[in-house]
């Protein structure tokens, strides 16, 4: 395998230091190529990535059908504006609607899909109804309405004033939501599984209760499935495991096999409120992203990756449950498909560096949670390899605690 690059990680870092705004904390490594769940740095070191693309590389790095679709589409038509029809957009909308529900509006990111969903909810609601209820420890993105919806004070510091009309409730606390709903409420926006907030799984009664509350109070239920959608939890969308259908669903991250793409899915009745002139996205639904999305979706079906995801999820769970019986620093395991949270009694950040030294990439979130979002096509050997390294690292951390 040729991993030769033209410059070292250090040379790239020097260019960043001069020319790239330093708003991200970055590891001092430049990644240059990837294949499946493996990725290589400029020095040729290989990593097993159990958090590929921050959840965007749902099928790992460079999934061949997606690469082929992009190459072939790029030679025909990269972008056309939404004043014309394009075949790929229709095909991807049909794909998503027939695996889920409703009609699609396409955009380019998670935050953009949240902005669109909030606008749609307000547009659909009678005059005067504008309030949106969201949840503590949620994460919906960094643009202003998405940021305001994100009920975590640390993300709000220094950037106010925020958008008016948001109310926050504790997650999994139906009584508190009920106490916040009033005749100005137009929507309840919730992640069925909070990702950034620590892999917090909604109770089934909570989501069915939200559905009931929304129906009784004439407001909409919006599920943010930016992280949980497109097969991540072992079904196309995580609402399908709850038997609760939202009115609007937001999607992004792994939607198009690693290509920037976001979407809103809305029931046809609600979708009608997004009339011409009310909302738009210049790049949204461009043929390149749409072709990648169709190829990603077909790959998930052709390779039975929803079943495989569930099988690998059980394999991760079995390794991690065994480890939990050995290590008291594992407080709780929260696992749904390829969405895995290992809640520790100690800060989780040091585990990331220790795993990276040993060639495994993972993420830390919400202070104590080690988070994995492995590719749906991760192999059994890779699950074993990754869990072995995590076990070694957590044993070391137990000694240090
Ligand atoms: C549930 C959820 N919603 C929205 C977003 C924002 O997505 P993006 O970073 O593509 O704007 C994220 C990103 O992590 C997310 O996890």
């Amino acid at each position: 395998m040729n991993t030769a690059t033209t410059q070292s990680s250090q040379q790239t870092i020097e260019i960043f230091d001069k020319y790239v705004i330093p708003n991200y904390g970055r590891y001092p490594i430049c990644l240059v190529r990837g294949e499946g769940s493996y990725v290589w740095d400029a020095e040729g070191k290989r990593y097993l990535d159990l958090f590929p693309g921050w959840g965007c590389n749902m099928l790992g790095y460079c999934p061949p059908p997606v690469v082929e679709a992009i190459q072939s589409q790029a030679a025909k038509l990269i972008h056309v504006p939404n004043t014309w029809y394009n075949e790929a957009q229709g095909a991807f909308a049909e794909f998503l609607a027939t695996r889920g529900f409703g009609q699609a509006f396409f955009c380019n990111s998670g935050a953009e899909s949240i902005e669109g969903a909030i606008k749609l909810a307000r547009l659909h609601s009678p005059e005067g109804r504008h309030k949106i209820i969201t949840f503590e420890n949620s994460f919906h993105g960094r643009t202003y309405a998405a940021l305001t919806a994100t009920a975590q004070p640390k993300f709000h510091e220094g950037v106010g004033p925020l958008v008016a009309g948001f109310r926050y409730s504790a997650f999994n606390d139906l009584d508190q939501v009920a106490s916040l709903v009033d005749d100005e409420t137009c929507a309840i926006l919730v992640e069925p599984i909070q990702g950034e907030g620590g892999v917090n799984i909604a109770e089934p009664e909570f989501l069915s209760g939200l559905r009931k509350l929304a129906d009784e109070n004439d407001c909409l239920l919006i599920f943010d499935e930016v992280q949980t959608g497109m097969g991540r939890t072992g079904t196309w969308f995580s609402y399908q495991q709850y038997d609760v259908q939202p009115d609007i669903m937001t999607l992004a991250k792994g939607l198009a096999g690693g290509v920037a793409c976001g979407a809103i899915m809305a029931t046809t009745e609600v979708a009608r409120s997004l009339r011409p002139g009310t909302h738009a996205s210049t790049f949204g639904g461009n043929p390149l992203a749409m072709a990648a999305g169709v190829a990603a979706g077909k790959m998930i079906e052709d390779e039975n990756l929803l079943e495989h995801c569930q099988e690998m999820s059980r394999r991760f769970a079995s390794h991690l449950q065994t480890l939990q019986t050995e290590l008291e620093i594992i407080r709780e395991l929260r696992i749904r498909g390829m969405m895995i949270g290992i809640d520790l009694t100690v800060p989780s950040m040091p585990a990331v560096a220790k795993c990276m030294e040993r060639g495994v990439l993972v993420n830390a979130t919400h202070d104590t949670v080690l988070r994995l979002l492995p590719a749906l096509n991760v192999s059994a050997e890779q699950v074993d390899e990754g869990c072995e390294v995590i076990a070694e690292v957590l044993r070391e951390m137990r000694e240090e605690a």
Side-chain angles (χ1 to χ4, degrees), residues 364-384:
T365 191
H366 215 64
D367 301 334
T368 58
V369 180
L370 205 58
R371 179 169 51 148
L372 316 180
L373 291 172
L376 298 189
N377 52 350
V378 68
S379 70
E381 295 71 31
Q382 288 166 337
V383 174
D384 299 349

Side-chain angles (χ1 to χ4, degrees), residues 81-105:
N82 280 301
T83 36
W84 279 268
Y85 292 90
N86 80 70
E87 281 177 31
Q89 188 176 140
F92 196 32
E94 180 182 18
F95 188 93
L96 294 174
T98 50
R99 274 69 180 176
F101 67 93
Q103 292 181 305
F105 164 85

Side-chain angles (χ1 to χ4, degrees), residues 54 56 108-114 138-143 146 150 191 193-196 224-228 250 252-253 261 339 371:
W54 211 268
C56 298
N108 308 287
S109 70
E112 205 188 335
S113 70
I114 293 289
S138 55
F139 187 81
H140 300 291
R142 303 287 192 149
T143 52
T150 295
E191 292 158 87
I193 303 173
Q194 293 184 326
E196 216 280 336
D224 180 348
E225 294 233 23
V226 163
Q227 196 164 134
T228 53
T250 58
K253 283 207 186 278
C261 184
M339 199 165 176
R371 179 169 51 148

